[in-house]
Amino acid sequence: MNECTHIGLDVHKDTIAVAMLRPHTTDVDERVIPNTPEAIRRLLTRHDPAATHLCYEAGPTGYDTQRLVAALGFGCDVIAPSLIPRRSGSRVKTDRIDARNLARLNRAGELTGVRVPGAAEKAVRDLIRVREEVKCDRRVARQRIRSFLLRYGKRYPGPRDAWSHRFEVWARAVTFDEPCAQEAFQNLLSAYFIRDTQLAEMGRRIEQIAATEPFAADVARLSALRGIGTLSAMTILAETCDFHRFGDAGSYMGFTGLTPSEHSSGASRHQGSITKTGNRHIRRVLVESAWAYRHAPAVRGKLRERLEGMPPEVAAYSWAAQVRLNRTFRTISARKGAHTAVVATARELSGFVWGLMTGNLGPAR
């Protein structure tokens, strides 16, 4: 049996459920400790770092527990929750049971860990994610303004009512007979313009970070692909961190959650929608970028500027990506529609991204 003591932790804001599985036994020593650095240090005081391994599920408490345990000299994995094996017949879930399962599955080698980012990597990632949240808040603010105008019968006089600078100018000039309605509308406008200003400022800040090391070279390389600008490149880099931890393009496609689900049994084989079990931030960016490949291959405008100074093999790889992905989009959209086609194109685009960032400049599979 394994000579290592395996400790499963179910980490919460105030408490940690601990399950300790020692060598040569199936009995689990369980307890609950406070979620404090002092309690964790006391827990590990009598253990040998070379013969003890800990793990816990990734969750809202972040990576502080892993960093503390690693600083004490112990190995600690942060486990991907979606990849933990579950018993289909189990209907009881408690903190102690979760910790016990982590300890046993970790000893069996059945758990998949996530990469723990460095402090600087996590800070940049959080800034990019907060920008995404602010963008969602701005979209909600726009929807509230439209709904308010609709309830009061205020219609934009232009040919289109899509949100634009002219629409904003018109909305600012809208007045209401009732003072309370005017006050409510002004508050809705203020909420929108605050979010719009925040979004623009964070976008400028991220672009400044992208122009500095260690991001500048990688951002420039990723931007050689059509549809991927600075903000998209920064999102991919911040969420992936290390492309070399994926052994092939298929592994990276799985990480993005863009691979199709499958249910096969016997002679039957059925593929369904994408798994969506990977990184949703990268998946969103890749799908947005994939829409650029509905157009015929071409090198012009901003893409031409981004390709200036790139090595010839990178420019050739970018062109090969355009040709293949445009063909993929056209072929699938003719049979299944544009929305299915863009997801399939995004999946292949993720393979080209992996190849570009790992130096594997052959065709993506």
Side-chain angles (χ1 to χ4, degrees):
M1 298 179 69
N2 199 316
E3 299 296 330
C4 181
T5 297
H6 290 272
I7 301 178
L9 307 175
D10 193 60
V11 182
H12 294 273
K13 176 183 176 182
D14 299 317
T15 61
I16 300 177
V18 180
M20 197 176 304
L21 189 59
R22 303 182 186 277
H24 307 289
T25 182
T26 57
D27 296 329
V28 180
D29 179 15
E30 299 176 347
R31 68 191 74 175
V32 176
I33 64 173
N35 187 359
T36 62
E38 295 76 16
I40 295 174
R41 289 191 183 97
R42 285 196 301 270
L43 173 70
L44 300 177
T45 298
R46 298 183 180 180
H47 291 274
D48 178 12
T52 306
H53 195 273
L54 296 86
C55 68
Y56 69 95
E57 287 186 48
T61 56
Y63 303 105
D64 284 348
T65 301
Q66 192 277 340
R67 292 193 178 99
L68 174 60
V69 172
L72 297 174
F74 291 83
C76 181
D77 289 335
V78 182
I79 305 303
S82 60
L83 299 180
I84 297 177
R86 309 285 184 186
R87 293 182 178 179
S88 60
S90 177
R91 294 294 183 270
V92 179
K93 183 183 184 302
T94 66
D95 295 347
R96 289 177 178 267
I97 290 176
D98 287 346
R100 188 189 313 151
N101 289 338
L102 285 172
R104 289 173 173 167
L105 290 170
N106 195 29
R107 183 161 78 174
E110 295 295 327
L111 297 179
T112 302
V114 301
R115 182 184 182 276
V116 179
E121 292 174 337
K122 185 175 184 299
V124 173
R125 178 188 296 178
D126 285 341
L127 178 61
I128 294 172
R129 288 184 178 183
V130 168
R131 180 187 173 275
E132 288 184 17
E133 292 171 359
V134 171
K135 190 175 181 180
C136 291
D137 291 344
R138 187 184 68 169
R139 184 176 66 249
V140 171
R142 286 178 172 179
Q143 292 170 343
R144 287 172 176 167
I145 290 172
R146 289 175 179 278
S147 298
F148 193 90
L149 291 171
L150 182 62
R151 289 199 301 272
Y152 281 84
K154 304 291 185 178
R155 298 183 181 276
Y156 178 60
R160 297 180 58 199
D161 62 352
W163 199 279
S164 63
H165 177 68
R166 290 184 178 181
F167 184 91
E168 289 183 8
V169 172
W170 171 79
R172 286 180 176 182
V174 171
T175 58
F176 297 85
D177 296 333
E178 293 293 332
C180 289
Q182 185 68 41
E183 183 179 350
F185 186 66
Q186 290 302 322
N187 279 301
L188 289 177
L189 283 178
S190 298
Y192 163 72
F193 285 114
I194 287 172
R195 290 292 180 263
D196 192 54
T197 302
Q198 288 178 325
L199 190 65
E201 182 58 34
M202 282 191 285
R204 284 191 292 268
R205 178 59 183 144
I206 293 170
E207 288 182 352
Q208 290 175 357
I209 296 171
T212 62
E213 295 301 334
F215 297 105
D218 288 340
V219 168
R221 193 174 178 88
L222 263 181
S223 298
L225 292 173
R226 188 178 191 177
I228 298 181
T230 301
L231 292 176
S232 297
M234 282 296 293
T235 301
I236 294 171
L237 291 172
E239 296 292 339
T240 306
C241 295
D242 181 15
F243 288 88
H244 292 278
R245 61 196 173 104
F246 302 98
D248 54 30
S251 299
Y252 188 68
M253 291 176 186
F255 173 69
T256 65
L258 287 167
T259 53
S261 58
E262 181 174 343
H263 180 79
S264 300
S265 179
S268 66
R269 181 172 182 264
H270 174 72
Q271 285 188 316
S273 59
I274 59 173
T275 62
K276 294 186 180 180
T277 56
N279 189 294
R280 63 183 178 88
H281 305 282
I282 297 178
R283 183 166 61 251
R284 177 189 61 79
V285 166
L286 288 173
V287 171
E288 288 179 357
S289 300
W291 282 108
Y293 294 93
R294 70 186 187 276
H295 304 297
V299 178
R300 55 174 176 262
K302 292 183 178 180
L303 179 60
R304 174 179 291 179
E305 295 175 6
R306 297 199 299 262
L307 285 173
E308 290 181 359
M310 285 285 112
E313 61 271 18
V314 173
Y317 189 76
S318 174
W319 179 255
Q322 283 204 59
V323 172
R324 172 165 173 167
L325 296 181
N326 175 255
R327 182 172 63 247
T328 297
F329 185 90
R330 288 187 293 104
T331 301
I332 298 179
S333 63
R335 294 186 291 110
K336 298 185 177 181
H339 291 284
T340 300
V342 78
V343 173
T345 304
R347 178 170 61 252
E348 291 195 6
L349 177 59
S350 68
F352 278 100
V353 166
W354 175 85
L356 183 63
M357 301 310 295
T358 57
N360 293 276
L361 302 184
R365 299 293 182 188

